Amino acid sequence: MTRLAAAPLGRVVLGVHAEGGRNAKLGALLHEHYLQNRDIAITELVERGRQQGGLRDDLTAGTIRDLVFGPLIYHWLMVGELDRATAETLVSAARRAIAAEP
């Protein structure tokens, strides 16, 4: 996330996402060719983590995705950058929220 936020391409990715919310055809293409594959990969990672006992059973893969990536993207949108220290702080907080109880 920090590399994407710092790269010129990062602004393009945000712009395409924003336009996809306004333009239904672009939104469908974005979902089908970009987001869907990433969501499948995230779901597989979450399920693997759950099977290994590291993640809470009461949270859906989508909720875990949102708890991890949501704060990173929100910070990037609001501040205009995402430095490594901030990203690590946010991910650390998300880890505590999604971790299975010992």
Side-chain angles (χ1 to χ4, degrees), residues 46-47 50 55-64 67 94 97-99:
V46 167
E47 291 310 317
R50 205 184 308 276
L55 298 175
R56 292 173 46 177
D57 287 327
D58 63 326
L59 299 175
T60 67
T63 298
I64 290 173
L67 287 169
I98 66 175

Side-chain angles (χ1 to χ4, degrees), residues 21-43:
R22 194 180 70 75
N23 179 319
K25 185 175 180 180
L26 177 61
L29 288 169
L30 180 66
H31 181 77
E32 180 182 349
H33 296 287
Y34 183 74
L35 296 174
Q36 189 173 14
N37 291 334
R38 281 152 182 78
D39 194 46
I40 290 168
I42 291 168
T43 298

Side-chain angles (χ1 to χ4, degrees), residues 2 71-72 75 79 81-92:
T2 57
L72 296 170
H75 180 87
V79 177
E81 63 182 33
L82 178 63
D83 62 86
R84 186 172 188 86
T86 300
E88 288 176 358
T89 298
L90 293 171
V91 169
S92 178

